[in-house]
Amino acid sequence: MGHQSMEQTQARLFINGKWAEPAAGGSSFPSLDPATGALVGTFAEAGPADVDAAVDAARCALADPAWVGITAAERARLLWRVADLIEAHAGELAELETRDQGQPLGVARDVSVAGAAEHFRYYAGWCTKIEGAVAPVSFPNTLHYTRREPVGVCALITPWNFPLMIATWKIAPALACGNTVIVKPAEQTPATTVRLVELIERAGIPAGVVNLLTGGPDVGRALVEHPGVDKVSFTGSTAVGKEIVRGSAANLKRVTLELGGKAPSIIAADADIDAAVAGNLQGGLLNSGQVCAAYTRFYVDRRRVDEFTEKLANAASGLRLGNGLDPETQLGPLVTAEHLAKVDGCVRRAVEEGAELVTGGTRADGDGSLARGNFFRPTVLAGVRDEMSIARDEVFGPVLPVLAYDDPEELAARANDTEYGLAAAVWTKDLATAHRLAADIRAGAVFVNMLPIPDSGAPWGGFGASGWGREMGKYALDVFTEVKGVWMHLG
Ligand code: NAD
């Protein structure tokens, strides 16, 4: 087993159904608790030989009767069993996610772990419903039908913001479609993915079908360039997404990319301001703003902008920062000290460019109690203009920039003046305003009077530099299968 105790994980690689040290001889890396700096665990660093071994194992499993020979109903039962095991270990997984990633325990339990179990259940249901179709070809005496076949060996590369949940967004549909996978979690937060793979092993998924390689960007790169990998499903930054497109070109891998975002949130003059403040506070600050779909630029009708800003700043400055394991905590730390420095730099630059700092803008040490963690005060910036970097670049932190608008006609163009297009929000009581903006904003999801939440049943993904393809719903079946047409002459 890779996992030894809740206190400190000592994890190995999982290749072809066995937990193993890296072939090159036991190189490892630590993962730290972002709230305290304490060691969460030590994880094996995979090398090139391990990447080859994992790809070989996944290729062999594609031809293994223990996987390809089972019925769709049996595959469904395996996935359902994984969901049951996630639920049976919910408390332990949530605590581990909080220690490794920093998110408040309630978020780890109700979003990350609950979402992970739900995703396996949802795709368990799809296993028996992946259908082909009969195409009405115009050749005489000819039957044409389609088969949806697995793409093959899939490299699943995940980020550090919701490590457990995002791993399941990829593993569950990949397995439902009959693929085999190699999972590569982010080096900052590998702990819950290791635990998930242990549960997958216990559920009885055959050896070689799910392999785990922990390590840094080099492991991801080696998978992306490997000729034995058929598909890469990646969630992470737009810069790395572009590298993946280049790196995967040699054998024209199938590539799905869920990348960065800069979601606009529009607060119309007729909006319920208190509801908008509460919703945008959560929509902007969930997981300390380390959410790809987080609301990150607020366009408020100029007649309401002062009221909105004041209420938002009051609410933000009243949030309780702390260790996510403390049940009173509303806002946890940022994932690493390096990321904290990046967020701090973004806020400084905004102020240099002329934004007004209304609240926050500094590191928080809680009179010393938080000094060893990566805590940043929730920050509200007023007087932000479209050309400022804070209104254009992804910050991925607890930073809420407020902009004003005068004419609703300008809104869609301003919201769309970005390379990204993942999510957007509209706060209004007017149906025409809501539907018009929902149609005109270029984003993969538009939320009206609500938080930017994903659901297994609805498509998730972005326009433009926010990525390629869609996860979730029946859309994930398209990206994890190849369509084959079978032609039969009936003469
Ligand atoms: P990142 O791109 O730095 O790293 C993501 C993963 O890619 C890690 O596992 C990393 O080791 C690996 N990696 C790094 N360089 C690589 C390379 N050259 N080739 C292959 N793999 C490589 O992202 P991050 O900082 O961990 O995560 C934050 C980013 O993820 C943000 O931009 C955020 O918007 C995005 N994100 C998007 C979604 C979405 O659904 N669209 C969800 C969550 C996070």
Side-chain angles (χ1 to χ4, degrees), residues 64-76 78 204 206:
D64 183 353
W67 182 236
V68 289
I70 66 174
T71 64
E74 283 167 325
R75 216 159 60 233
L78 287 172

Side-chain angles (χ1 to χ4, degrees), residues 147-160:
R147 294 165 48 85
R148 283 193 169 267
E149 299 188 352
V151 178
V153 174
C154 304
L156 312 178
I157 304 176
T158 57
W160 48 253

Side-chain angles (χ1 to χ4, degrees), residues 157-161 166 169 184-187 215-217 220-221 224 234-238 240 243-244 258-261 292 394 396 422 460 466:
I157 304 176
T158 57
W160 48 253
N161 64 334
I166 292 177
W169 290 0
K184 208 302 275 174
E187 57 276 24
R221 221 172 271 125
V224 165
F234 170 77
T235 298
S237 61
T238 294
V240 172
E243 279 187 54
I244 285 177
E258 299 285 353
L259 308 176
C292 51
E394 188 181 45
F396 230 56
L422 188 63
W460 189 260
S466 288

Side-chain angles (χ1 to χ4, degrees), residues 148-195:
R148 283 193 169 267
E149 299 188 352
V151 178
V153 174
C154 304
L156 312 178
I157 304 176
T158 57
W160 48 253
N161 64 334
F162 283 98
L164 174 70
M165 186 171 71
I166 292 177
T168 68
W169 290 0
K170 302 183 185 306
I171 300 172
L175 298 185
C177 296
N179 297 282
T180 61
V181 308
I182 300 144
V183 190
K184 208 302 275 174
E187 57 276 24
Q188 298 87 349
T189 55
T192 48
T193 306
V194 172
R195 196 73 189 103

Side-chain angles (χ1 to χ4, degrees), residues 357-420:
L357 184 62
V358 186
T359 185
T362 56
R363 193 181 176 134
D365 73 357
D367 296 327
S369 62
L370 304 180
R372 283 185 301 139
N374 314 316
F375 293 92
F376 197 78
R377 280 181 214 290
T379 300
V380 175
L381 294 160
V384 174
R385 294 189 310 276
D386 296 22
E387 67 276 14
M388 292 180 181
S389 48
I390 200 74
R392 312 198 69 78
D393 301 339
E394 188 181 45
V395 177
F396 230 56
V399 181
L400 311 174
V402 183
L403 303 88
Y405 74 86
D406 294 298
D407 179 0
E409 292 299 317
E410 73 198 48
L411 279 171
R414 290 178 70 187
N416 291 338
D417 182 19
T418 171
E419 62 171 331
Y420 297 116

